[in-house]
Amino acid sequence: MSGPAAGTAVAATTTDVVCLGESMVTFLPSQPGRLADVPSFGRGIGGAESNVACALAAAGHRAAWVGRVGADGFGDHLVETIASYGVDTSAVRRDPFRPTGIYFRTATDRGTDTHEVAYYRAGSAASAMSPANVPYEELFAGRILHLSGITAALSDDCLALLRELTAARPGRPLVSFDVNHRPHLWRGGDASVLLELARRADLVFVGEDEAEEAWGIVGAEAIRAAVPEPSVLVVKRGSAGATVFASGLRPGPRSSNAGGAENAPGARSTEGGGAEDAAGPRSSIAGGAECGGAEDAAAATGPDTVTHVPALHVDVVAAVGAGDAFAAGFLSATLRGLPVRDRARHGHLMAAAVLTVPGDLTEPPARDHADRLVALGDDAWGTLRLGPGWTAADRASEEVRTP
């Protein structure tokens, strides 16, 4: 049967976030240099959506990852490693005919010309995901369903699946969508479909550079004009920080799927990210809408609130995994019903944790530690400098270094 059953709905859940996408075994170089010159590699895991699930679980949330892997040793490694972070992997499907994807990368920054990635994912088990073979009951069982544009690029069936999951329908959880434009995956394809998917989601993450490269759209305001439907749009601006547009409709998970948890953003706009922007939980949202996506967006009234949140000064060890970590931090704070400014700050902190280690995943800062940093005034936030080992500090003062 293709697609979820009509009227599919979940009355209650024990899962906070369900993440769907491909995860692969990644081979990390033992030393800098060209792939041709690296003598050996260490094995790890990589995958935007599973990275988010692992980070959320490590931060104390109930996260699940749904994917498809081969019935092979690499598939075993992926499932076991992701589960070791506390992620529910019970809905992962094994494919006896297709392999688990793998890739090799260099140690350099992904944004530089010297960065190399060699993917071996064509015909992978994950590329066979389709509306006919995914577990909809598990996908719709969380407060938030997190997706990314990487999945849409894997195959026509994967694109059809994302269109199915982002369609407005009763019982759909809040849909979070990270554009995650990967140019090499769209060679010969049309990346403008990512704009279509973003407009069907409730919460969207997109980088300014991604929007320009994939859609030819320049600047945060222009991106919002092109993506007006989501209740919350997070435009990541690199070292300039993040700009969050919030319409006030369904900016937090629905309480009908959350067992009554506080889940509205209660955001008031601040043009500098400085003033407090929380007005408390919005009961009309928490107990309201029955479905998400385009239907809710069409009902939105009132102008956006716009919140600018500066990035942190970070001593970068490896510039990989930061986008996934930012999304995890933002989603974690969304689940907690925190104000918009604090959501973005938690995103920056989670990204800083990953940027200061060699791999895509790391132990996040303790929640009370992160909360103390998030509560800093604008001047103190602007002078934070975080380096390797900062997440292990017991007190905020121990990892704060001013330039």
Side-chain angles (χ1 to χ4, degrees), residues 2-380:
S2 176
T8 296
V10 180
T13 183
T14 59
T15 303
D16 292 321
V17 181
V18 177
C19 303
L20 173 134
E22 179 174 35
S23 191
M24 295 182 290
V25 172
T26 176
F27 290 91
L28 309 175
S30 58
Q31 64 185 44
R34 302 182 310 153
L35 286 180
D37 300 327
V38 175
S40 60
F41 296 81
R43 185 180 65 174
I45 66 169
E49 302 85 359
S50 60
N51 285 348
V52 171
C54 289
L56 284 167
H61 297 285
R62 297 160 300 189
W65 173 62
V66 177
R68 195 174 181 89
V69 301
D72 50 32
F74 287 147
D76 293 340
H77 175 66
L78 274 177
V79 174
E80 292 167 6
T81 303
I82 293 169
S84 73
Y85 283 85
V87 176
D88 180 357
T89 59
S90 60
V92 174
R93 299 297 190 256
R94 308 300 294 262
D95 190 322
F97 305 109
R98 299 175 181 87
T100 303
I102 64 173
Y103 71 98
F104 297 76
R105 67 170 174 84
T106 55
T108 49
D109 186 337
R110 181 180 287 156
T112 66
D113 292 337
T114 58
H115 185 68
E116 294 177 74
V117 182
Y119 287 101
Y120 299 90
R121 73 196 308 175
S124 69
S127 70
M129 290 189 296
S130 77
N133 63 15
V134 296
Y136 285 95
E137 184 175 354
E138 287 88 346
L139 286 171
F140 284 6
R143 296 170 62 186
I144 297 174
L145 173 61
H146 181 70
L147 310 168
S148 99
I150 294 174
T151 305
L154 298 180
S155 68
D156 289 343
D157 281 343
C158 284
L159 174 57
L161 173 60
L162 285 204
R163 283 178 166 144
E164 189 73 51
L165 293 175
T166 56
R169 61 168 50 85
R172 190 189 87 174
L174 184 147
V175 172
S176 165
F177 180 72
D178 192 335
V179 170
N180 255 326
H181 176 239
R182 297 288 187 266
H184 65 275
L185 291 177
W186 290 99
R187 291 178 187 141
D190 181 9
S192 66
V193 71
L194 297 175
L195 181 60
E196 170 201 334
L197 295 170
R199 296 183 64 177
R200 294 156 67 102
D202 302 305
L203 165 59
V204 172
F205 301 94
V206 62
E208 275 191 320
D209 55 343
E210 294 178 300
E212 182 174 1
E213 187 168 20
W215 308 329
I217 300 171
V218 180
E221 295 287 346
I223 295 170
R224 182 51 162 171
V227 190
E229 292 86 356
S231 303
V232 178
L233 171 67
V234 183
V235 179
K236 298 176 290 183
R237 305 173 60 210
S239 61
T243 298
V244 185
F245 298 85
S247 68
L249 183 68
R250 293 197 72 227
R254 292 183 294 111
S255 62
S256 59
N257 259 9
E262 292 182 335
N263 51 26
R268 286 202 305 267
S269 174
T270 83
E271 284 301 316
E276 292 299 328
D277 55 1
R282 302 168 62 100
S283 59
S284 62
I285 296 173
E290 285 302 317
C291 48
E295 291 183 12
D296 277 353
T301 59
D304 273 336
T305 63
V306 183
T307 306
H308 303 290
V309 184
L312 293 164
H313 303 285
V314 179
D315 297 330
V316 176
V317 172
V320 293
D324 304 330
F326 180 94
F330 194 97
L331 290 174
S332 172
T334 297
L335 288 161
R336 297 171 61 198
L338 299 184
V340 168
R341 185 206 69 173
D342 293 1
R343 299 180 191 195
R345 284 190 171 188
H346 274 285
H348 286 317
L349 287 170
M350 197 80 87
V354 168
L355 287 170
T356 50
V357 299
D360 291 14
L361 294 167
T362 188
E363 187 73 19
R367 180 172 291 183
D368 60 346
H369 182 180
D371 284 345
R372 287 196 299 271
L373 295 180
V374 165
L376 291 173
D378 289 348
D379 289 343

